[in-house]
Amino acid sequence: MSKQLSTKFGDYGGMYVPELLIPALDQLEQAFLNAQQDPDFQQEFKSLLNDYAGRPTPLTKTRNLVSNPKVTLYLKREDLLHGGAHKTNQVLGQALLTKRMGKTQVIAETGAGQHGVATALACALLGLKARIYMGAKDVERQAPNVFRMRLMGAEVIPVNAGSGTLKDAVNEALRDWSASYQDAHYLLGTAAGPHPFPTIVREFHKMIGEEIRAQILEKEGRLPDALVACVGGGSNAIGAFADFIDTPEVQLIGVEPAGKGLHTHEHGAAIAKGTKGILHGAYSYIMQTPEGQIEESYSVSAGLDYPAVGPQHAYLHDIGRATYESVTDEEALNAFQLLARKEGIIPALESSHALAHALNMADAAEEETLIVVNLSGRGDKDLAHVQQFLKGDTHNG
Amino acid sequence: MDRYAQMFQRLESEKQGAFVPFVTLGDPDVETSLAVVEALVAGGADALELGIPFSDPIADGPTIQKSAIRALEKGVTPRDCLAIIHRIREHHKDIPIGLLLYSNLVLAPGIDEFYRLAAEAGVDSILIADVPIREAEPFMAAAKTHGIQQILIAPPNASQATLQQIGELSSGYTYLLGRAGVTGTETAADMPASDLISKLHDVGAAKPILGFGISKPEQVKAAIEAGAAGAIAGSATVKIIEQHLDDKAMMLTRLSEFVAGMKSATNK
């Protein structure tokens, strides 16, 4: 066996899964390590990213959004990636790993449907059979993405158990995998879950940060003062942060969903308000009762509606390398509309959280400040939902 | 001698295997749950495997998921569950009682504190469904401190290295998985499991009890013929509770009958 990866980030992470799943996770780690050393794999991954998905994505300087003249704000345009969000990056990587392991089926979970869509398109392209678990409530509120997945040949399985959202879809995907691991790969969609997923997902998204570095140096001749990304499980944020973790002059800021406010129970801010515990195979910050039962999260954005956070974010928080802020539904909805009106870009509600925080920073800045926001996805999927909100009908939240 | 060792010694002299029913504590409520466990003992259970309800049971199929939801909807907490065990222990001094739960419930009060409370309630063993051997060290340390036996799982796909570790670390009994997947009777256990059983014997593991997909006396018989020291039935037992929620007397009668039927298949 070649070298093993570290399974933890400080105390966080690990492999808290049934013994039955350990061989499948070990197999995945080996396949990943071998693929990282294999120039043919890297070449194929890169060519899919460039020629199929549309990398590199642009870094766009906003023209009208920021009124403070001391502030320059750039958007990393993951919204322009095929599939509509950053999710496509790592899905292509894991789909190639699936084939490398000789597996023919893919299991995935999805919340907003973005990871499901990315999985469906990659499986259509690479000839894999996809079955995607989605909370019944999400199937209802994200109907266009359900249709997209089915159009591309994926089976979408509504999950009625529990709260009928992302957390329950992950549970069901893990249950499926424990019976099907011989032929199926569990293509986990965020930088959470048991090792080696947080590491694999980061590595397959880290081109986001590498491109930001090269692009901002070319445009501004210097690195940004701050890099801002939204955090649910934390995949787009870790992809943007990874290349900058050892560059301390760049402030890394993750933005969690404060939902209806951190003083309420309706939010998804696991770092701000959660406590340490184990969910879905990893030790991290989670939302739980004092007895250890997992609480339901809430956010206007389905993609941030998750009661835990990826273990590396928990670690970056504890060591002070990244800071984690939060933004309410209302602030995110304002940023969503502002970007549309001022720049002609409709962002995903998830990404609108990062943008809202960057706008707060811009308002407060007294010195020259260069900010990059990872605009992780586009807002097409959110149009109906936002329309309802703006009409004052918030019952569908 | 610990209670599992005593049980295995007694069964050996009686030329029998063990039958171990599983139910979720607090299902459908605390008082009925106590009566349920009494009915299992009355039916002839050799040991008890008792679950603490958890919100996200990833190793469980629909039947046990529903039992956890029934208990959680009644507001049943881990402390309530340990209190039920305490009451059972007062009436049944010798029966081995195993706890089966998920890691986050152990972490919530602190690992050491959880094991202390469990020992105080009269628990003999703890099996944590989402703690594989490679994460087990702090849990096993607490188990040792408080005189509890940490139960390890031997899955059908275990590597030789995992089997070796089970050989070195297991105590009480070894939970032998009859098949891949989650708990439930929808898919039956694969028989015979004799290959894995003999491997476990070779590495010196604690005696194997077969679980997952066991619902019929014939399966108990086959498990024991294949060399298992006993069999566990969870979903099949819990299903009886689910089917008689409106008639508790019938629920208890059927549970005792079921256990008696399964127990009668343990003769070697």
Side-chain angles (χ1 to χ4, degrees):
Chain A
M1 292 236 289
S2 57
K3 81 177 174 74
Q4 305 269 306
L5 295 161
S6 170
T7 65
K8 290 190 179 164
F9 307 92
D11 288 339
Y12 300 108
M15 306 174 84
Y16 297 93
V17 294
E19 195 73 57
L20 188 62
L21 284 175
I22 291 292
L25 291 168
D26 285 349
Q27 178 193 25
L28 176 61
E29 181 184 39
Q30 269 318 304
F32 171 70
L33 285 168
N34 293 340
Q36 292 295 82
Q37 306 295 320
D38 178 356
D40 290 341
F41 179 92
Q42 294 305 322
Q43 181 52 43
E44 193 177 4
F45 185 32
K46 196 170 171 23
S47 103
L48 284 174
L49 289 169
N50 294 357
D51 306 331
Y52 178 73
R55 298 214 76 87
T57 57
L59 187 69
T60 304
K61 185 177 177 174
T62 58
R63 291 173 180 235
N64 315 308
L65 186 64
V66 178
S67 47
N68 184 343
K70 291 190 184 300
V71 176
T72 308
L73 178 64
Y74 279 87
L75 306 172
K76 178 58 174 167
R77 300 294 304 281
E78 294 298 296
D79 61 312
L80 293 177
L81 200 68
H82 178 47
H86 72 290
K87 296 282 185 192
T88 303
N89 296 321
Q90 77 98 9
V91 165
L92 287 171
Q94 283 201 52
L96 289 176
L97 284 182
T98 306
K99 295 191 76 109
R100 198 178 173 88
M101 291 185 287
K103 296 184 177 184
T104 54
Q105 302 167 25
V106 161
I107 305 161
E109 84 294 337
T110 196
Q114 287 307 107
H115 175 59
V117 166
T119 300
L121 70 85
C123 288
L125 180 72
L126 296 173
L128 296 161
K129 198 169 165 358
R131 56 179 179 274
I132 296 166
Y133 291 94
M134 189 168 184
K137 208 186 284 174
D138 289 335
V139 168
E140 221 172 280
R141 64 178 171 179
Q142 304 287 342
N145 270 346
V146 174
F147 185 59
R148 283 187 186 100
M149 288 183 258
R150 287 181 173 151
L151 212 59
M152 292 186 280
E155 181 188 359
V156 179
I157 305 167
V159 178
N160 283 299
S163 53
T165 60
L166 180 58
K167 160 177 97 78
D168 309 287
V170 176
N171 291 339
E172 212 51 39
L174 283 166
R175 290 179 187 124
D176 180 328
W177 200 32
S178 67
S180 62
Y181 53 82
Q182 281 178 330
D183 302 312
H185 172 56
Y186 178 21
L187 209 165
L188 205 149
T190 189
H195 173 77
F197 286 111
T199 297
I200 291 179
V201 171
R202 180 195 67 218
E203 291 300 302
F204 285 163
H205 274 313
K206 79 170 180 192
M207 75 292 278
I208 300 173
E210 291 167 349
E211 287 174 15
I212 291 173
R213 181 185 284 271
Q215 289 167 321
I216 199 78
L217 284 174
E218 192 195 312
K219 288 172 198 293
E220 295 286 331
R222 72 176 186 103
L223 293 176
D225 298 304
L227 182 50
V228 186
C230 63
V231 176
S235 68
N236 90 80
I238 207 67
F241 292 174
D243 198 51
F244 293 96
I245 289 172
D246 296 328
T247 310
E249 62 269 32
V250 179
Q251 207 191 341
L252 305 176
I253 303 171
V255 183
E256 296 190 298
K260 296 181 180 171
L262 292 186
H263 59 286
T264 72
H265 281 286
E266 293 178 89
H267 63 76
I271 292 180
K273 300 292 280 186
T275 50
K276 295 172 189 182
I278 292 171
L279 177 65
H280 297 148
Y283 181 65
S284 188
Y285 285 100
I286 63 177
M287 293 170 56
Q288 59 181 325
T289 67
E291 288 85 30
Q293 306 293 353
I294 308 305
E295 292 186 304
E296 289 176 20
S297 55
Y298 163 82
S299 170
V300 66
S301 118
L304 301 182
D305 195 350
Y306 184 61
V309 67
Q312 194 168 6
H313 288 294
Y315 178 66
L316 291 174
H317 166 75
D318 279 16
I319 63 167
R321 177 59 194 99
T323 50
Y324 293 84
E325 308 286 347
S326 60
V327 152
T328 62
D329 285 358
E330 198 184 341
E331 292 172 289
L333 283 159
N334 286 338
F336 177 95
Q337 294 171 80
L338 206 60
L339 190 66
R341 228 172 13 242
K342 297 281 188 182
E343 306 285 338
I345 298 169
I346 300 174
L349 280 174
E350 290 77 11
S351 325
S352 301
H353 284 72
L355 186 67
H357 181 72
L359 292 174
N360 290 343
M361 287 174 70
D363 284 346
E366 289 171 5
E367 290 168 24
E368 293 292 325
T369 308
L370 179 59
I371 304 173
V372 175
V373 168
N374 193 29
L375 203 73
S376 55
R378 72 178 83 126
D380 305 34
K381 68 183 176 58
D382 298 314
L383 293 179
H385 197 46
V386 172
Q387 207 173 9
Q388 272 178 341
F389 256 84
L390 298 183
K391 275 189 209 153
D393 171 14
T394 57
H395 298 292
N396 206 26
Chain B
M1 202 188 308
D2 67 72
R3 291 193 183 94
Y4 285 103
Q6 282 173 9
M7 174 189 76
F8 286 127
Q9 197 179 53
R10 170 179 64 79
L11 290 169
E12 196 143 323
S13 71
E14 290 168 1
K15 296 205 167 17
Q16 287 177 0
F19 175 67
V20 185
F22 165 93
V23 290
T24 301
L25 290 166
D27 171 28
D29 58 64
V30 169
E31 280 312 308
T32 312
S33 183
L34 198 61
V36 161
V37 177
E38 289 293 348
L40 301 177
V41 178
D46 293 302
L48 297 166
E49 196 66 18
L50 304 172
I52 296 188
F54 180 54
S55 54
D56 294 77
I58 56 169
D60 285 304
T63 304
I64 293 176
Q65 284 176 49
K66 276 187 249 167
S67 75
I69 290 168
R70 283 195 295 272
L72 290 173
E73 280 176 351
K74 286 277 160 62
V76 172
T77 65
R79 275 178 196 268
D80 295 334
C81 295
L82 293 178
I84 297 173
I85 290 178
H86 195 85
R87 288 165 71 183
I88 297 162
R89 180 54 81 209
E90 282 176 353
H91 301 148
H92 306 283
K93 299 287 180 206
D94 297 328
I95 196 164
I97 298 179
L99 207 51
L100 201 164
L101 76 170
Y102 288 84
S103 58
N104 201 48
L105 299 177
V106 180
L107 260 55
I111 296 176
D112 193 74
E113 177 66 1
F114 185 88
Y115 278 80
R116 189 187 70 76
L117 291 168
E120 209 175 77
V123 167
D124 295 293
S125 73
I126 293 184
L127 194 170
I128 310 176
D130 58 346
V131 173
I133 292 168
R134 69 179 62 172
E135 300 288 3
E137 202 277 326
F139 300 92
M140 298 196 76
K144 199 169 174 195
T145 305
H146 297 288
I148 282 182
Q149 291 166 312
Q150 187 76 20
I151 302 303
L152 302 179
I153 286 196
N157 62 352
S159 65
Q160 190 55 38
T162 300
L163 290 173
Q164 289 290 354
Q165 284 177 305
I166 294 172
E168 284 162 32
L169 301 172
S170 61
S171 64
Y173 70 94
T174 302
Y175 194 121
L176 178 61
L177 282 196
R179 55 163 173 74
V182 293
T183 58
T185 55
E186 294 80 2
T187 313
D190 291 333
M191 297 281 183
S194 49
D195 188 41
L196 187 52
I197 291 168
S198 72
K199 281 187 195 160
L200 285 169
H201 181 77
D202 292 347
V203 295
K207 286 183 189 298
I209 300 186
L210 186 75
F212 272 41
I214 304 284
S215 63
K216 297 187 179 81
E218 305 90 271
Q219 292 173 299
V220 176
K221 193 168 189 297
I224 287 161
E225 277 170 3
I232 298 178
S235 296
T237 314
V238 170
K239 198 86 190 168
I240 296 170
I241 298 176
E242 182 186 314
Q243 285 165 345
H244 298 92
L245 289 169
D246 296 336
D247 185 347
K248 282 179 189 159
M250 185 59 81
M251 178 197 293
L252 302 178
T253 306
R254 290 277 178 266
L255 282 167
S256 289
E257 286 170 3
F258 172 73
V259 172
M262 296 294 266
K263 177 59 198 166
S264 70
T266 62
N267 286 318
K268 285 183 185 168

